Amino acid sequence: MKMNKNNAMKNIFPYIVLLVVIFLVLTVLNFGGAIKHNLTTGELLKELESSNVTEINITPSSSDSVYYIEGKLGNYKEKESFRAKVVDSDLREITNYAKENDLKKYDTNKDPGSISILYIIVNILPLVIIIVASYFLFTKMASGNKSSMDFGRSKAKLSEDGGNIKFSDVAGLKEEKEEVSELIDFLKNPKKFQKLGARIPKGVLLVGPPGTGKTLLAKAVAGEANVPFYYISGSDFVELFVGVGASRVRDMFKEAKKNAPCLIFIDEIDAVGRQRGSGIGGGHDEREQTLNQLLTEMDGFGANEGIIIIAATNRPDVLDPALLRPGRFDRQVTVNLPDTKEREEILKVHARNKILADQVKLANISARTPGFSGADLENLLNEAALLAVRKNENSITMEDIDEATDRVLMGPAKTSRKITPKEKKLVSIHESGHAVIGIKLEDANEVHKITIIPRGMAGGYTMMLPKEEKIAINTEKELLAAITGLLGGRAAEELFLGEVTTGASDDFKKATNIARSMVTEYGMSDLGPVQYEQKSEGVFLGRDYNKSKNYSDKVALEIDTEARKIIENCYADAKKILKENENLVMLLSNALIERETLTKEEIESLVTTGKIREDNAVTKENGPTLLKLKEIAKANKIKGYTKMTKEELEKAIEKLDK
């Protein structure tokens, strides 16, 4: 907000200066609102004859025969005066009149050169000031709006050192670094490649989900290479005016040729590189002209030796085929979501400037965050740090990280929302149904956490993570187990509450998508290994708007039947498992009603022993539990109680009693 105010003041300041200058000039010209009448020599002599002149001031000019007369008449007001120009012969009559009438206000200026200076000051200088002030004012305005006036110039910014980010700042991405490191080697030592006749790729396309580090990797390439580095977004090319985008592409390559060898980084290239001729009514002429110019500059009639382009996108499916052919973007580097080891390395990078408690282990956090991108992990630690600051803690604890994980996945907890006992019972039974399926079904994911605290749009949720991390391939049993787990909430409602709720709507949506994909894409049904549907997302029509269907209406009915059969079989399995483990469902439900959140350790304790194991049981020998001591410490506002042991808490409470 402060920067915006400063920019606003800078924009308004020239206008203020111009107004002040005009005001001063008008003040000088008017002499505080004074009115001057120009009199001819004849008019002045008539006023002299009628003795109407009360004040005279004579000023000689640079010419000896011309004089300037200023003064007042008897009928003038206070700020009125006259001025006239007379020759030498008429001056005698004016002088005699002044002597005869004994004018008290009579003066003669004896400096013949002063009239020129006075004339310049009064008449010419104000005009000069206005002209000079106007020139500087509009020059500054033009320079400030240069980008809006200079349409055809490239918006690519040049960074001589490419920034301060190095490969050491990019955690993980080992194979991706090796792929792009060839670019740096070529720019530093091109003869090594030319010796064997190798041609370095003209363009490298970084492809991957959002937040996986594509832009960061490109910045690291710039930081490692000692060549000029241009960076621009794909949206900076296309403008309202036709031909501007193509002109900017030409100008960008023109500037790059002057500094070759160099790198050009185009972020979000899908904004300008979308497939031509797509969408309703054809395409977008201005964008397509820009793309055509980019294709020509990369590999057309001219040669761009020494210019390497790096582009990033998370939508390679919408790019024009001509952009991906050899000679343009020769190489595609896929930047995937990090695995467990890479997530730990990313967490180490983002934890450099953060104070973590001793019990916080980055390896444990990495294992609990499958599917998180680098941006998600950075946000996770930042949220945990913010939570620690709110609590006035000296370090980031594991509790802060757990809460931050929930906030990133589901949103902040709605602790102020009042939940009725009936609603709490419904949600606890629903979530217990999900959890028991995950516990008892062999191919299901492992249950890590259950909570009935509302977050986002959910009244509660069960966190289930893979037992071991693997590549993105699932077996039929795993998909069926996933569907069964999703239906466990509704099955528990029907079995143990005798009524169903709307809480399972999102579960049905996910389960139906999996079942339909098994039938139409994966060939996991009685219809055989045939792919009936293909996702062909329209570039301008929206996601999955024009999904192609390679089957008749009869097959469509069979697909619906097979998908329904999978859902019904999984629902029956879920009800069977829950009936056999009714005691465990009720045990988890009662524990959720009491505690609202159960961790993995507490769930395991309930499954194995039927109760939650406390760190210190309530006995005559041991006294209050650790949880009870923490509650007492919190009520008495003991600093740092969350990190104290049971013995330390007991001593701190004893001091309060004394």
Side-chain angles (χ1 to χ4, degrees):
M1 182 64 72
K2 187 176 181 181
M3 291 183 66
N4 292 336
K5 289 182 178 179
N6 293 337
N7 291 335
M9 288 300 298
K10 290 180 180 178
N11 294 332
I12 297 173
F13 183 73
Y15 297 99
I16 296 175
V17 173
L18 182 60
L19 290 174
V20 171
V21 170
I22 294 174
F23 175 76
L24 293 175
V25 170
L26 293 176
T27 302
V28 172
L29 291 175
N30 292 330
F31 292 98
I35 301 175
K36 289 192 175 184
H37 302 278
N38 294 317
L39 300 181
T40 63
T41 303
E43 291 173 342
L44 178 58
L45 294 176
K46 286 181 180 180
E47 296 292 343
L48 291 173
E49 291 176 0
S50 59
S51 300
N52 195 27
V53 180
T54 60
E55 182 180 331
I56 293 177
N57 185 10
I58 303 172
T59 305
S61 68
S62 57
S63 174
D64 294 337
S65 59
V66 179
Y67 294 85
Y68 293 94
I69 309 297
E70 292 185 358
K72 287 189 175 184
L73 301 180
N75 58 347
Y76 278 4
K77 295 180 180 179
E78 183 181 353
K79 294 185 178 182
E80 282 189 284
S81 62
F82 71 84
R83 56 188 173 188
K85 184 167 67 173
V86 300
V87 295
D88 193 10
S89 58
D90 296 325
L91 183 64
R92 294 182 191 143
E93 186 174 348
I94 296 172
T95 305
N96 293 333
Y97 171 82
K99 291 179 181 179
E100 291 174 359
N101 290 275
D102 192 19
L103 291 179
K104 294 180 179 180
K105 294 184 178 180
Y106 170 71
D107 191 15
T108 302
N109 196 341
K110 303 207 174 198
D111 183 10
S114 62
I115 183 62
S116 300
I117 298 174
L118 181 62
Y119 182 80
I120 291 172
I121 293 175
V122 174
N123 296 284
I124 300 177
L125 184 60
L127 296 176
V128 173
I129 293 174
I130 291 177
I131 293 172
V132 173
S134 301
Y135 172 77
F136 282 106
L137 172 66
F138 291 107
T139 301
K140 185 174 182 180
M141 291 175 62
S143 62
N145 297 320
K146 187 175 181 181
S147 59
S148 62
M149 299 298 294
D150 204 355
F151 300 112
R153 295 295 299 276
S154 170
K155 288 189 176 183
K157 298 179 181 179
L158 175 63
S159 176
E160 293 294 339
D161 57 357
N164 298 321
I165 298 177
K166 307 294 183 181
F167 276 165
S168 59
D169 299 314
V170 183
L173 305 180
K174 181 180 178 181
E175 293 79 9
E176 291 82 353
K177 290 178 185 177
E178 292 177 355
E179 289 291 322
V180 296
S181 62
E182 288 185 359
L183 306 179
I184 301 171
D185 293 340
F186 175 78
L187 293 170
K188 290 182 177 180
N189 187 16
K191 293 183 179 179
K192 182 173 70 173
F193 294 85
Q194 295 170 356
K195 181 179 179 180
L196 297 178
R199 179 182 62 81
I200 201 69
K202 292 186 177 181
V204 176
L205 184 65
L206 303 180
V207 178
T212 50
K214 300 183 293 296
T215 303
L216 185 65
L217 182 62
K219 290 180 180 179
V221 173
E224 296 288 344
N226 295 321
V227 294
F229 180 74
Y230 292 89
Y231 55 97
I232 188 173
S233 173
S235 60
D236 287 333
F237 289 106
V238 181
E239 285 284 358
L240 173 66
F241 304 101
V242 178
V244 172
S247 176
R248 287 179 177 175
V249 172
R250 287 191 295 269
D251 186 67
M252 181 180 69
F253 278 89
K254 179 181 177 182
E255 291 296 322
K257 289 176 183 178
K258 296 178 183 178
N259 296 280
C262 66
L263 291 173
I264 298 176
F265 174 60
I266 305 176
D267 196 12
E268 304 294 347
I269 194 173
D270 53 275
V272 69
R274 294 193 172 209
Q275 186 173 351
R276 291 168 290 184
S278 300
I280 298 175
H284 188 292
D285 288 340
E286 167 60 8
R287 182 184 55 76
E288 292 183 4
Q289 285 186 24
T290 306
L291 175 58
N292 290 337
Q293 189 62 45
L294 181 62
L295 296 173
T296 303
E297 293 290 345
M298 288 188 69
D299 186 25
F301 297 107
N304 286 320
E305 296 296 334
I307 300 176
I308 298 175
I309 299 178
I310 303 177
T313 182
N314 51 21
R315 294 296 306 276
D317 53 312
V318 303
L319 295 181
D320 193 276
L323 198 62
L324 303 177
R325 77 158 174 81
R328 268 77 182 255
F329 284 101
D330 305 81
R331 182 177 300 174
Q332 291 189 31
V333 179
T334 302
V335 185
N336 285 318
L337 292 170
D339 57 18
T340 305
K341 184 178 179 181
E342 290 176 332
R343 287 197 299 272
E344 184 178 355
E345 294 176 0
I346 293 171
L347 288 168
K348 288 179 181 178
V349 171
H350 294 304
R352 288 175 182 175
N353 61 341
K354 294 177 175 62
I355 302 175
L356 302 178
D358 295 335
Q359 74 269 25
V360 176
K361 305 298 180 184
L362 297 180
N364 295 337
I365 301 173
S366 173
R368 296 170 58 181
T369 52
F372 275 50
S373 65
D376 292 331
L377 295 172
E378 191 275 336
N379 187 36
L380 171 65
L381 290 183
N382 184 62
E383 286 288 342
L386 292 175
L387 291 170
V389 172
R390 291 177 191 174
K391 298 178 183 178
N392 294 321
E393 296 174 344
N394 296 324
S395 60
I396 302 172
T397 63
M398 202 63 197
E399 294 177 2
D400 299 326
I401 293 176
D402 287 339
E403 175 64 19
T405 304
D406 293 338
R407 292 172 72 92
V408 171
L409 290 174
M410 304 293 295
K414 298 179 180 179
T415 55
S416 61
R417 177 182 172 185
K418 185 178 180 180
I419 305 175
T420 63
K422 181 180 179 181
E423 187 178 9
K424 184 177 285 189
K425 180 69 174 177
L426 290 172
V427 177
S428 65
I429 289 291
H430 181 99
E431 298 303 332
S432 297
H434 288 305
V436 170
I437 298 295
I439 294 169
K440 295 299 180 179
L441 202 56
E442 181 180 355
D443 295 304
N445 290 336
E446 191 174 29
V447 180
H448 278 252
K449 187 177 183 179
I450 317 172
T451 180
I452 59 173
I453 299 175
R455 288 181 182 273
M457 300 299 293
Y461 77 96
T462 302
M463 181 187 291
M464 301 176 69
L465 302 176
K467 295 176 182 177
E468 56 182 1
E469 198 157 354
K470 57 182 181 178
I471 58 178
I473 295 178
N474 297 103
T475 64
E476 184 178 1
K477 289 183 178 181
E478 290 173 343
L479 294 176
L480 293 174
I483 296 174
T484 306
L486 289 167
L487 299 175
R490 167 57 68 86
E493 292 175 2
E494 184 179 341
L495 287 173
F496 307 118
L497 296 175
E499 59 179 342
V500 294
T501 69
T502 60
S505 60
D506 189 60
D507 299 331
F508 294 160
K509 178 182 177 182
K510 294 176 181 177
T512 304
N513 288 337
I514 296 174
R516 191 166 186 87
S517 296
M518 291 176 66
V519 177
T520 60
E521 296 180 43
Y522 308 144
M524 297 178 180
S525 69
D526 293 339
L527 295 182
V530 180
Q531 190 175 57
Y532 293 100
E533 291 181 353
Q534 295 179 351
K535 294 180 181 179
S536 55
E537 300 173 4
V539 179
F540 298 106
L541 298 179
R543 189 175 295 273
D544 294 344
Y545 183 88
N546 57 338
K547 181 184 289 186
S548 60
K549 298 179 180 180
N550 301 321
Y551 50 82
S552 63
D553 293 340
K554 180 180 179 181
V555 175
L557 178 61
E558 294 177 357
I559 290 173
D560 294 338
T561 303
E562 288 295 323
R564 187 181 299 110
K565 184 171 33 174
I566 292 174
I567 295 290
E568 290 175 349
N569 291 339
C570 290
Y571 189 67
D573 292 340
K575 292 176 68 175
K576 179 181 178 182
I577 294 171
L578 294 178
K579 281 183 181 179
E580 295 172 353
N581 297 276
E582 180 177 356
N583 293 334
L584 181 57
V585 174
M586 303 312 296
L587 188 64
L588 290 173
S589 174
N590 294 332
L592 283 171
I593 293 173
E594 179 183 354
R595 294 175 174 258
E596 294 187 339
T597 300
L598 296 176
T599 62
K600 179 183 177 182
E601 293 75 16
E602 292 171 338
I603 295 169
E604 291 176 350
S605 178
L606 283 170
V607 173
T608 55
T609 65
K611 60 181 181 180
I612 297 176
R613 184 176 61 252
E614 297 285 357
D615 293 337
N616 294 280
V618 182
T619 63
K620 293 182 179 179
E621 294 79 11
N622 294 333
T625 63
L626 178 61
L627 182 61
K628 185 64 177 177
L629 289 172
K630 286 186 176 182
E631 291 177 356
I632 297 171
K634 182 179 180 181
N636 289 276
K637 298 181 179 180
I638 297 176
K639 294 182 178 180
Y641 73 92
T642 56
K643 296 181 289 184
M644 292 183 181
T645 62
K646 184 172 183 291
E647 292 74 16
E648 291 172 341
L649 284 169
E650 288 174 344
K651 291 180 181 179
I653 294 171
E654 285 178 5
K655 289 182 181 179
L656 290 175
D657 295 337
K658 293 179 180 179

